[in-house]
Amino acid sequence: MKKIFLTLLLLLFVPRLVLPQNTDSLVIQSIFSEALTNNAAYDQLQYLCENTAGRMTGTPQAAKAVEFTKQVLETMNLDTTYLQPVQVPHWVKGDTETASVQSAIVGFHDVTVCALGYSIGTGINGIRGNIIEVNELGLLEKLGKKNLQGKIVFLNRPMDRTKINPMAAYSGAADQRVHGAAEAAKYGAIGVVVRSLTTSQDDFPHTGVMRYQDGVTKIPAIAISTNDAERLHQWLTIDANLLFYMRTTCTLLPDATSYNVIGEIRGTEHPDEIIVVSGHLDAWFNTEGAHDDATGCVHALETLRLLKALHIQPKRTIRCVLFMDEEIWQTGGNEYARIVGEKHEQHLVAIESDRGGLLPLGFTMDAPDNIVEKFAQFKSYFENVHIDRFEKGHGGVDIGPLKELGIPLVGFLPSTQRYFDYHHSANDTFEQVNVRELQLGSAAIASLVYLIDRYGL
């Protein structure tokens, strides 16, 4: 009789022990079902890409993106929607970007280029000079003024295709884009041409920010498509004395006022504890900015929509933040962090999607090991959808300043094998985003938000 009683007692308690897991799994299943059968995020993505392309900070396109996303948030009937003013850089690439090779041996050839972000222009007449090919910044010092004075430097180090992680390949080659002009100018160079940072061979030049150094002469910098980088390399092997011509009309205008776009669902039990989900609104002048980072913005918007559509009332406040100016000086992220610190707001975690809208793999976390271990316990909820990489790693550029306030950072992790086919180029269009992959990403982020809200970190 005692044994039977213990068995009955166990049966009474077992369902209560497993009920939370089952309940959470059902909620997560409903999040994925809603995301996969509703095209709201995809429609928002199409609008951002096709109606606000080239949304550089300070431009009418950026202002239009701010207004559109604010209206999207307002239609959700959230508890709060507002704009957070930010002073942003206003650099414009100008009306033209041209370059050509001039040689009595290989002939005259136009090449496909674009200005690098924050570069000065060449002046209306452009610049012309002999070109020196270099594949390592360190070689500039060895060449010195004797070889570089009055020359144009061609920085032609490809991204390392042998690296399985394209982000690592990008990091390994980005120094020539970011610092190449400043380093070449130290030795008298008059301009730089940088091989586009992409693993693909194509005719799309890929732009991106570059930096000058105080006390060093500013010289113009352009990116050249990988196909033309290969051609230029071959032409130089035939005629080392060929001339290169480049013309850009870039201008740096006074800073402008723009906005971070913010909307939130207020928590019922712990409203002062905030969970941020975010992306960045700005994109380069030459692109629709689909994967960088319109997809991240609609991931964040869709997270709130999913919670509202499924009548999930969070215990903590869920805040969507669409940052302005990730690409140049990160003023949006820095201003947001400044205000958080000033107001002593309590953030439980900040999540950012800024690696594209490709097939989701999981999440990375930038936090102390004990928090990363607790975060990794959520992995089991995502194993059946194969979005189960929960590991220590990068959080995000815009949310990065929040780390100094002790706030854990989480980065959405999709597959990045094709990301640099699009990154910072005219190839980053709405058509390059798969609707189902976008929806899976939104559902994964919303599900993670749901779990963190329920169990904390």
Side-chain angles (χ1 to χ4, degrees):
M1 181 62 70
K2 183 177 181 181
K3 185 176 180 179
I4 294 174
F5 175 76
L6 289 173
T7 300
L8 290 171
L9 190 64
L10 181 62
L11 288 172
L12 287 172
F13 278 94
V14 165
R16 296 185 183 183
L17 291 172
V18 300
L19 183 60
Q21 173 77 27
N22 289 340
T23 301
D24 293 335
S25 296
L26 290 172
V27 172
I28 291 171
Q29 182 180 339
S30 70
I31 290 173
F32 273 85
S33 296
E34 170 64 20
L36 291 169
T37 55
N38 190 302
N39 275 6
Y42 199 56
D43 292 342
Q44 292 160 12
L45 178 72
Q46 183 173 17
Y47 183 91
L48 279 174
C49 290
E50 296 180 356
N51 293 277
T52 72
R55 47 189 180 276
M56 291 285 296
T57 54
T59 64
Q61 297 95 312
K64 191 171 184 179
V66 166
E67 182 59 30
F68 170 69
T69 51
K70 179 174 178 284
Q71 289 178 9
V72 170
L73 288 167
E74 288 174 341
T75 62
M76 295 184 197
N77 295 317
L78 304 174
D79 294 301
T80 309
T81 302
Y82 62 98
L83 301 180
Q84 187 177 76
V86 181
Q87 292 301 113
V88 298
H90 189 190
W91 173 89
V92 294
K93 69 98 177 175
D95 61 356
T96 184
E97 304 153 292
T98 59
S100 60
V101 167
Q102 303 172 2
S103 166
I105 301 174
V106 301
F108 286 55
H109 303 277
D110 292 332
V111 291
T112 308
V113 300
C114 69
L116 287 184
Y118 224 60
S119 172
I120 65 167
T122 62
I124 192 168
N125 294 320
I127 58 173
R128 180 181 286 102
N130 292 118
I131 190 162
I132 304 293
E133 182 176 352
V134 178
N135 56 20
E136 291 290 343
L137 286 185
L139 293 176
L140 295 173
E141 183 178 4
K142 293 181 180 179
L143 289 168
K145 284 193 174 183
K146 178 182 177 181
N147 296 295
L148 297 178
Q149 186 79 39
K151 307 288 179 60
I152 296 171
V153 172
F154 172 33
L155 296 164
N156 191 32
R157 183 168 79 256
M159 286 175 57
D160 186 352
R161 294 185 186 180
T162 67
K163 292 187 179 297
I164 303 302
N165 181 359
M167 292 291 180
Y170 176 76
S171 298
D175 61 334
Q176 60 194 339
R177 189 198 75 202
V178 177
H179 304 296
E183 292 302 314
K186 292 177 182 178
Y187 307 102
I190 60 173
V192 295
V193 182
V194 182
R195 182 190 182 98
S196 286
L197 296 180
T198 174
T199 49
S200 66
Q201 286 298 134
D202 59 36
D203 293 314
F204 296 104
H206 296 238
T207 190
V209 76
M210 51 84 65
R211 302 289 188 213
Y212 291 116
Q213 292 181 18
D214 292 340
V216 177
T217 301
K218 296 179 180 180
I219 62 175
I222 60 175
I224 187 170
S225 72
T226 49
N227 279 343
D228 278 339
E230 291 297 309
R231 294 186 186 104
L232 181 55
H233 169 77
Q234 291 299 321
W235 291 330
L236 284 168
T237 64
I238 299 170
D239 181 4
N241 295 312
L242 62 78
L243 293 175
F244 190 89
Y245 172 77
M246 54 190 278
R247 180 177 184 271
T248 59
T249 53
C250 313
T251 305
L252 181 61
L253 300 174
D255 285 355
T257 300
S258 190
Y259 303 91
N260 294 330
V261 182
I262 301 175
E264 61 186 32
I265 302 172
R266 192 162 176 80
T268 56
E269 297 181 23
H270 309 288
D272 294 333
E273 294 184 12
I274 298 167
I275 298 171
V276 164
V277 59
S278 66
H280 71 83
L281 271 176
D282 58 311
W284 285 106
F285 60 87
N286 61 333
T287 180
E288 292 182 6
H291 285 289
D292 186 21
D293 181 36
T295 52
C297 291
V298 299
H299 279 156
L301 293 168
E302 180 71 348
T303 294
L304 267 60
R305 190 197 71 80
L306 288 168
L307 296 178
K308 294 287 287 187
L310 296 169
H311 305 289
I312 299 172
Q313 184 60 55
K315 297 189 293 184
R316 297 168 170 90
T317 294
I318 314 301
R319 178 181 291 174
C320 167
V321 183
L322 307 182
F323 293 102
M324 184 58 71
D325 183 31
E326 186 269 349
E327 298 292 1
I328 298 181
W329 287 115
Q330 299 82 55
T331 53
N334 282 299
E335 178 65 6
Y336 180 81
R338 184 192 70 79
I339 291 173
V340 168
E342 185 179 83
K343 291 184 175 180
H344 303 288
E345 287 186 333
Q346 183 179 353
H347 281 52
L348 190 64
V349 68
I351 304 167
E352 182 166 1
S353 171
D354 188 20
R355 291 169 175 158
L358 297 154
L359 183 69
L361 301 178
F363 299 91
T364 53
M365 172 171 266
D366 186 359
D369 289 344
N370 64 313
I371 297 179
V372 175
E373 289 174 6
K374 187 171 183 180
F375 168 74
Q377 294 176 6
F378 297 135
K379 172 181 176 178
S380 61
Y381 291 95
F382 295 85
E383 288 175 342
N384 66 323
V385 291
H386 309 292
I387 308 175
D388 53 1
R389 284 182 56 182
F390 279 64
E391 56 198 44
K392 195 175 182 70
H394 180 64
V397 171
D398 297 289
I399 59 177
L402 295 172
K403 184 177 180 180
E404 296 181 11
L405 301 176
I407 298 167
L409 312 179
V410 171
F412 170 64
L413 178 64
S415 171
T416 55
Q417 295 304 322
R418 290 184 287 117
Y419 181 65
F420 291 101
D421 292 0
Y422 318 122
H423 186 248
H424 294 180
S425 81
N427 196 30
D428 189 11
T429 63
F430 169 71
E431 290 77 14
Q432 303 293 1
V433 180
N434 177 275
V435 60
R436 189 167 180 85
E437 290 180 342
L438 178 74
Q439 291 167 334
L440 286 168
S442 299
I445 294 170
S447 297
L448 180 64
V449 167
Y450 164 77
L451 291 168
I452 294 175
D453 172 64
R454 185 167 171 82
Y455 297 107
L457 282 173

